[in-house]
Amino acid sequence: MTSLLRRLLPEQAPVSPRERVRAACGTLAGLLVTGLVARAALGTGAELPTLIAPMGASAVVLFAVPSSPLAQSWSIVGGNLVASLVGVTTARFIHDPLMAAALAGAGAIAVMIALRCLHPPSGAVALTAVPGGPAIHDLGYGFVLWPVGVNTALILGVAILFNNPTGRSYPHVAQAAAAVPTPAGRFGLSSADIDAALEDYDQVLDIGRSHLEALLRRAQLSALMRRAGPTTCAST
């Protein structure tokens, strides 16, 4: 039974209790501020939605994995705006709700990948525009600005204000990985090797290339130190 559960559970790097609390508090702040500001702008008696469901999914990547390429500012802004445009357009011209929903999701993903703004919650944004009900349909392309655009700007602002003071650089800026000193004649990883492996793998990874290279080089350095063993004054 234990082995079965292990096979079913996804692989995940160890996460400290402090990081779990940080991510949860960030999500609380992001959703609460977004909802309160949007409600204050509309008023309590407004019929328009103040906080759309995809913001909950955006909060997961913005606060739990802020270094992910899928969580960067261009990813959420570009992804949500593109997906809402695709969703509204599809809903206007495709009258079968099921077909419209499928085409909206597929079209949003295709455009997001092309524009390098892939953001998983944006798929939900595209779907929201299709079966969203009269309140959403009546907005037309105004749905792109409200509630999608406003919700996106608000939660992104909270992510920037929250992540950096709590020890997570956001938006994440790719940095060149430090070179690992390798003895002459030993096999080592070069940047070209990593690029070739990524091209051969040909799948979207939820980790930036610079982070991936840094992790591989740290592992390489750790392996070299393990092979070399402890260094003493007598051995130098």
Side-chain angles (χ1 to χ4, degrees):
M1 186 65 179
T2 303
S3 60
L4 176 61
L5 289 176
R6 287 177 179 175
R7 287 197 297 268
L8 292 176
L9 292 175
E11 294 182 1
Q12 181 174 302
V15 179
S16 68
R18 178 182 181 277
E19 176 60 18
R20 297 174 194 174
V21 172
R22 190 202 65 82
C25 289
T27 299
L28 173 63
L31 295 177
L32 186 60
V33 170
T34 301
L36 288 176
V37 173
R39 187 171 67 181
L42 280 179
T44 55
E47 295 182 358
L48 296 177
T50 57
L51 185 65
I52 54 176
M55 290 301 109
S58 289
V60 174
V61 292
L62 286 175
F63 298 103
V65 282
S67 63
S68 168
L70 308 180
Q72 300 314 297
S73 53
W74 169 238
S75 299
I76 181 173
V77 173
N80 282 351
L81 295 183
V82 162
S84 57
L85 281 169
V86 171
V88 172
T89 301
T90 305
R92 288 172 68 93
F93 293 100
I94 306 295
H95 300 296
D96 183 343
L98 182 59
M99 180 60 69
L103 288 174
I109 290 175
V111 178
M112 285 190 290
I113 291 177
L115 296 179
R116 296 179 63 180
C117 59
L118 188 62
H119 184 64
S122 298
V125 172
L127 288 184
T128 302
V130 178
I136 298 295
H137 294 161
D138 291 345
L139 290 172
Y141 285 104
F143 175 70
V144 178
L145 297 178
W146 186 286
V148 175
V150 173
N151 278 190
T152 299
L154 289 171
I155 200 168
L156 176 60
V158 176
I160 294 172
L161 293 175
F162 180 86
N163 281 324
N164 289 287
T166 58
R168 292 293 176 265
S169 174
Y170 187 83
H172 178 71
V173 179
Q175 298 178 350
V180 174
T182 55
R186 298 289 181 89
F187 289 104
L189 288 172
S190 69
S191 295
D193 294 329
I194 296 172
D195 289 336
L198 288 172
E199 183 176 356
D200 182 63
Y201 190 65
D202 194 27
Q203 293 185 42
V204 176
L205 292 177
D206 193 13
I207 183 174
R209 187 205 172 284
S210 62
H211 265 184
L212 176 63
E213 182 170 359
L215 286 173
L216 291 174
R217 294 197 181 282
R218 286 186 182 184
Q220 186 181 23
L221 179 59
S222 178
L224 288 172
M225 293 177 66
R226 174 175 50 80
R227 294 193 193 102
T231 303
T232 63
C233 294
S235 63
T236 58

